Amino acid sequence: MYQYQPEISTLLLWIQFLTAIIAIAYYKKVKESYWKWFIIYLIYVFLIEKFGDILFRFIHLKKENYFAFIGIPIEFIFFYWLYAMQSLKNKKIFYSFSFIYFLSFIPVESFFEKIKIVYSFNYTIGSFLLMILVFLEFKKQIQNDDILTFQENKMFYINIGIMLFYVGTLPFFSLYHLLLKEPEIWNIYYLYFLISNCIMYLLFTASFIWGKQKS
């Protein structure tokens, strides 16, 4: 079944493109709210995934360095902001989580040649903090009367998507180098990585189609 991985990677890019297009179509409806930044984020992700290789060559930046120091941090900080600042209305959580996440970069200066290991550590910390936010968001949704109309809550779709992808792949990146020694398990988990990524962006798309701006 692993021969389908390249096709799923291509499918993921198309889904990201679809998500960005639908997000742009809803821009006028949300341009006065913080959701406009979610649209900008989705466009940014697609452009980097599609044209990143060209950009990296132009500015002489290695792809792995970009994702380790710029791409992945932007993703985590954005979702910390979306969850903590906007949905949970808790600035302390946002600043404390962001601080803890950036602390995980300190070993990079000393062990730059081991960037793959450090990257795994950073992803582990980032995903663990995001997992806490996912739990707090679910708790908020369950305790709120809006649970009766959960299908209209943008964060309902986003939260499920984040849980499936970031939280679901936490063991994959945490134990990445150990899993490499077990190709069969690694391939299965990488397939999950691709599929859950596709599902996450489909759920992001659903958040625009069925979610209401009030959420």
Side-chain angles (χ1 to χ4, degrees), residues 6 21 23-24 35 63 66 88 120 123 127 140 146 190 207 209:
I21 292 298
I24 292 173
W35 288 109
K63 186 175 182 178
Y66 164 79
L88 299 174
S120 178
Y123 192 93
S127 294
K140 171 194 169 186
D146 289 343
Y190 182 69
S207 73
I209 299 174

Side-chain angles (χ1 to χ4, degrees), residues 103-116:
L103 280 180
S104 69
F105 282 85
I106 292 178
V108 173
E109 297 299 326
S110 301
F111 303 100
F112 186 82
E113 69 278 3
K114 299 180 181 179
I115 188 172
K116 291 183 178 180

